[in-house]
Amino acid sequence: MSKLNDKLHVNSELTDVNNELIPLKEMADRECTATHGLTGTIYRPHLDAYMQRCIKKAEILACLKRQSILPLSKVELISTTLDNIHKRAKNHDIVEYEGEHYQRLFLPLKLSKSGKVVQKWARIWLLQQANGKVDFQWESQVKEIWPSYFLIRISDL
């Protein structure tokens, strides 16, 4: 995740951010539907605002978890354990842990100024269902905990 603020957060801030996200999500979904299939650089102010609030929510959650106000989620615990056990796992590798199958994915996180070279990768683990598909709830929790992993940034050179 990006650099976290030194400011300590409280539960009420998390409630406020959640309330702000509801209308932003609706507008962002409409904006995505309206621009689906379009190519080129598209200005998406509602989607940008929604993503910024998601990142703020993730910062608050991380702070509350560091303060031990909220417990770490199952996704965070298992991801940390898998990172420690399978340090050399490659993209799309599937490993078994406690009877479940997890897939390692690398996502581009930061691009060069030209946009052709990936300078930084985000590493996540996704839970695989018995039919080989990704578990939707697990994936949505990953996106909530680490929303900045799903934004590609151009480097500032």
Side-chain angles (χ1 to χ4, degrees):
M1 189 189 299
S2 63
K3 291 184 181 179
L4 298 175
N5 296 338
D6 291 336
K7 177 186 169 196
L8 297 179
H9 296 281
V10 293
N11 278 334
S12 62
E13 290 178 276
L14 185 60
T15 304
D16 294 343
V17 169
N18 282 335
N19 291 336
E20 291 173 10
L21 281 173
I22 295 168
L24 286 173
K25 172 79 169 128
E26 292 172 9
M27 292 299 292
D29 287 345
R30 277 194 230 138
E31 192 172 67
C32 284
T33 302
T35 59
H36 181 73
L38 298 178
T39 58
T41 305
I42 301 169
Y43 180 59
R44 297 179 182 181
H46 299 294
L47 185 59
D48 293 343
Y50 174 72
M51 287 308 296
Q52 290 306 313
R53 296 314 297 166
C54 286
I55 290 171
K56 178 68 175 170
K57 178 182 177 182
E59 289 174 359
I60 293 170
L61 281 171
C63 181
L64 293 174
K65 289 175 183 179
R66 278 196 314 272
Q67 296 175 54
S68 299
I69 295 173
L70 293 177
L72 291 175
S73 69
K74 181 179 177 183
V75 171
E76 291 169 305
L77 294 172
I78 291 176
S79 293
T80 303
T81 304
L82 289 173
D83 283 340
N84 291 332
I85 294 172
H86 302 284
K87 293 178 183 174
R88 296 182 183 255
K90 294 180 172 65
N91 194 31
H92 296 289
D93 279 358
I94 296 177
V95 299
E96 185 175 344
Y97 176 71
E98 294 183 352
E100 300 283 349
H101 295 279
Y102 298 90
Q103 181 180 26
R104 168 60 108 186
L105 284 182
F106 289 89
L107 307 171
L109 187 59
K110 185 176 180 182
L111 300 176
S112 65
K113 195 170 185 178
S114 68
K116 295 180 181 179
V117 178
V118 178
Q119 293 183 334
K120 190 172 182 181
W121 293 92
R123 301 170 182 173
I124 61 172
W125 291 98
L126 295 178
L127 176 63
Q128 299 287 304
Q129 296 176 337
N131 60 6
K133 294 184 179 181
V134 174
D135 184 278
F136 175 74
Q137 290 179 336
W138 181 279
E139 185 178 16
S140 66
Q141 288 181 25
V142 167
K143 288 181 179 181
E144 182 178 313
I145 296 167
W146 300 293
S148 60
Y149 285 6
F150 300 90
L151 298 174
I152 298 175
R153 295 184 184 93
I154 305 295
S155 70
D156 306 4
L157 295 176

